[in-house]
Structures are given as structure tokens and as C-alpha cells.
Amino acid sequence: MKQDSDLRNNLKSIRTRLGMSQQDLANIASVTRQTISGVESGLYAPSVAITLRLAKALGCQVEDLFWLERDLPEIEAVLAKPVPNDQQLRVSVARVGGQWIAYPLIGKDAFRQDMIPADGEGTSQIGTNKVRVRLLDDNLDTLHNTIVIAGCAPVISLWARATERWHPQLRVQYNFANSMAALHSLCRGEAHIAGMHLYDPETGEYNTPFVRDVLAGREAVLITLGVWEEGLLLKPGNPMGIRTVTDLVAGGATIVNREIGSGSRMLLEQTLQKEQIPFDAVQGFDNVLKSHQDVAQAVGLGIADAGMSTASVATAFGLGFIPLHQSRYDLVILKEYLEEAPVQQLLSTLGHRMVHSQFEILGGYDISKIGEVVAAV
């Protein structure tokens, strides 16, 4: 049969994974080696009979071997962050507020510990913030049932995995962002939920003043995920005998800091101001890292003597910890998203015992008020 330009196949990769040569497969499927070569190169579209014999010989489904390129849908999506013009992109996709949002999988955004699978590929359009995405799967239900959370709390991923276990039709996409970046992402329509832990010393309130300021009149609710201990991560055994931020300066300790907009940096600055210590008196104050994990690794590897993070992160990395403050970590959700079924299903799992157990064994979390609405703005 002549070539079909829309027909794609996975024959070579499956064959080589099984350790078969073209001749081995040809013998098992009762075809010629030239037939195998022609199919793999896309120069030959096999008959139904040959297709079935190939699938049987490889122990897989026909759909695993062959598909039609034109069957994959395309959508237009808004890019969640700027990218160079005319750049080919791997993206993940979600439906937020009635429009498709594409999240470029570039650099650290492409990884957690393993690489994140893409939902599609596309090329950024010159002069716009949009991208035409060719999806890699025709199952749009998954994308419609994707909930996007922007935040920096490592426990969000635990909550997400537990939720997907109870609601297999849901997918939770966790985009790492500091508190202010997460809030702005929510405001721009790039996330359903923003996680944050910012303290306002003027009002004595957590998060709410910042939400009112950034959302500027849009209605939202704040739901507590938990209260966590924040403080100084130290080398195991605390060899410098650090007990306060004053000790950091007195002992000539070197720190790593977090970026502007993060709750950890804001707490460090507020603590230094309270102790009347100039920022530039702290060695390493301008050495900025962008996650709790990066701070912990820097301290653990001896790159720095201390850094600001949480008790649970200290425990996970086997580090010393000096508590300085308890911060409430809230989930901020626009009211327009609250009635969406996927969001309701996700929030309902905050009361599940397994979620509580995961948080409790981490240490440093008070989840006595988990799931409570603490403010409406």
C-alpha cells in the first residue's frame, strides 16, 4: 500500500525495546524485512492483515503501533509566561476561567525530580502571548479536569497525589511559585488556586491584606491548608551555636536568601528589622535561591551556614532548625471557581484522614484548622 502522509507509527522503538532485529520481526509476522523497513520509515502503509500480525508479534495493541496525525486536536492557548518568539515548545495545558492556558515546560519548570510529560507541542506566535498547541492525546476530558495550583508548599504535591488516587478523573498541576508570584498568577487567570504564607505586621493578619491589594475587588475565599513553623535551617548539630538572627551576624555566618515576594524572605527581613540589624550586615543576604529545597541543599552541602525555611523541610534534609515564627499557609480561590466540580472534589479531600496523616508525619505542621474558610474578600 502506498504511503499515507497522516499515518504515524511507533514500530521501530517497540521492536528495538524488545531486542528484535527487522528480520526477527519479519519472520514472526510472516512478512519481508523490506516490509518492516518500509513501515518504519513511513514509506509504506500496511494492510489491516499485516497491521494485526505486527501487533500480535510485538504483544501490543494496534493503537500502540499506529495513529493518524490529523486525529490529534489543536487548540489556541494563552502562554502563562513569556518565551522567545517563534520557539518550539513543550507545554502542559489546563482550562482556567473559560480559556486554555499553556504552561511552557522549560528549564526547572520541566522537572520535579523526573521530567514532566507534555500535553502538547506548539510554536510561540510572534507579537502575541498565544500559542497554537497540537495536543499529544485526543482525551480533552483530562485537560478539562485539570486543576492548577500555584504555590511553594512541598505538601501540595502530597495532597495532589492523594486526590488523584481518590478521583482518578482529576489531574492536579502544581506550578511552583512564591507567595506573591502565586497570587499574581491567580489574578492573571493562570491558576485556580494560589498558595501563600505572608504575614502583615501592621495588621497582624496573614495573607488577607495582600489578597485584597492584588485582587483589587475580585471576590475570593481563603482556606487554610495548615500552620507551619518557619525559621533558620542550620548544619546538622548546629556547629556555630546559632540561636537567633543576631547570632548570624555576630558569628559571621553566611546565609542563602529567597527571592522578593517569598514568605521566607519577608520573614527574614521582618526579623532583621525587629532586631535592628541592617540587611547588608548579613553575609549572603543577596545570594538568592528560589525554593525551600534549594535552600536546604545549599545548607546541607555547606555552601551556606544557614537559610530560612520550614521545620518539615529541615526534617526531610536532616538539618538543624531554629523556629522563629508560625505562619498560616492559605489557599486563595476566586469565588467564580468554587462551584466547579473538579475544584469541589479537590477541596473535599482536605478532610480525608490520609491527607492529615501525610502532613502529620512530616512534622512542623498544625492542621487542626485544615479546610476551614478563614476569610472572604
Side-chain angles (χ1 to χ4, degrees):
M1 188 178 295
K2 66 180 182 179
Q3 177 184 4
D4 185 335
S5 61
D6 288 323
L7 186 65
R8 299 289 184 269
N9 75 81
N10 203 28
L11 184 60
K12 183 177 180 179
S13 64
I14 294 178
R15 172 181 62 77
T16 55
R17 190 168 70 238
L18 294 174
M20 290 186 184
S21 68
Q22 288 185 341
Q23 190 61 60
D24 292 336
L25 179 56
N27 292 340
I28 297 172
S30 301
V31 298
T32 67
R33 188 196 63 78
Q34 289 78 10
T35 296
I36 302 299
S37 177
V39 172
E40 289 184 352
S41 65
L43 298 176
Y44 174 73
S47 67
V48 173
I50 291 177
T51 299
L52 292 171
R53 291 209 296 270
L54 290 173
K56 183 177 180 181
L58 294 168
C60 63
Q61 301 294 316
V62 170
E63 292 82 359
D64 297 329
L65 283 178
F66 300 96
W67 67 92
L68 290 173
E69 191 78 0
R70 63 188 175 202
D71 285 349
L72 297 175
E74 290 190 359
I75 59 173
E76 186 172 76
V78 176
L79 285 165
K81 62 173 58 177
V83 297
N85 286 334
D86 205 31
Q87 177 173 328
Q88 195 72 18
L89 304 170
R90 295 174 64 249
V91 298
S92 57
V93 179
R95 189 81 170 170
V96 182
Q99 65 180 351
W100 292 110
I101 306 294
Y103 306 88
L105 299 176
I106 299 173
K108 284 191 173 183
D109 290 331
F111 294 86
R112 292 296 178 257
Q113 291 299 319
D114 51 356
M115 182 168 275
I116 298 171
D119 294 322
E121 62 176 351
T123 303
S124 55
Q125 300 175 15
I126 297 175
T128 77
N129 66 338
K130 294 186 177 181
V131 60
R132 192 72 186 171
V133 178
R134 186 182 69 85
L135 299 178
L136 304 181
D137 193 332
D138 60 2
N139 184 10
L140 286 175
D141 287 344
T142 298
L143 304 186
H144 278 287
N145 286 308
T146 296
I147 300 171
V148 181
I149 304 177
C152 68
V155 294
I156 291 176
S157 59
L158 297 178
W159 177 35
R161 298 294 82 78
T163 296
E164 290 173 343
R165 174 180 174 184
W166 299 315
H167 299 287
Q169 79 282 9
L170 285 183
R171 184 178 67 165
V172 182
Q173 178 167 314
Y174 173 31
N175 293 341
F176 182 85
N178 68 48
S179 293
M180 286 303 295
L183 188 56
H184 282 288
S185 182
L186 178 72
C187 190
R188 291 192 300 266
E190 298 164 0
H192 297 95
I193 300 172
M196 57 189 302
H197 60 113
L198 298 178
Y199 176 70
D200 179 19
E202 291 186 8
T203 63
E205 291 185 275
Y206 292 95
N207 303 318
T208 307
F210 304 94
V211 174
R212 289 196 186 102
D213 181 53
V214 172
L215 295 187
R218 299 181 69 181
E219 293 186 323
V221 298
L222 283 73
I223 298 175
T224 291
L225 189 61
V227 175
W228 62 8
E229 284 188 315
E230 288 188 292
L232 292 171
L233 301 189
L234 306 168
K235 294 177 181 178
N238 191 8
M240 299 185 72
I242 295 169
R243 291 286 178 261
T244 66
V245 292
T246 302
D247 294 340
L248 290 174
V249 178
T254 299
I255 71 164
V256 283
N257 204 350
R258 288 288 306 281
E259 74 279 20
I260 293 172
S262 70
S264 296
R265 184 188 181 101
M266 188 173 290
L267 175 59
L268 176 61
E269 291 179 349
Q270 291 169 354
T271 306
L272 291 172
Q273 289 168 343
K274 183 178 179 181
E275 298 295 325
Q276 298 182 333
I277 300 173
F279 296 167
D280 59 8
V282 183
Q283 294 185 42
F285 184 86
D286 293 324
N287 185 7
V288 171
L289 299 177
K290 293 190 175 181
S291 74
H292 292 286
Q293 293 94 320
D294 287 346
V295 170
Q297 286 179 332
V299 175
L301 293 172
I303 297 170
D305 299 309
M308 194 73 76
S309 188
T310 70
S312 60
V313 171
T315 299
F317 282 83
L319 300 174
F321 181 74
I322 300 297
L324 297 176
H325 188 71
Q326 288 192 324
S327 294
R328 197 181 72 215
Y329 197 95
D330 290 336
L331 306 169
V332 186
I333 311 171
L334 295 181
K335 285 188 177 179
E336 61 200 76
Y337 300 152
L338 271 178
E339 298 306 315
E340 295 183 9
V343 174
Q344 285 290 314
Q345 289 178 327
L346 173 67
L347 294 177
S348 71
T349 64
L350 288 175
H352 200 286
R353 179 60 196 168
M354 185 174 289
V355 171
H356 295 186
S357 297
Q358 290 288 341
F359 283 32
E360 287 166 353
I361 63 174
L362 283 174
Y365 273 90
D366 175 1
I367 58 169
S368 58
K369 297 187 182 300
I370 188 171
E372 288 190 13
V373 176
V374 292
V377 298

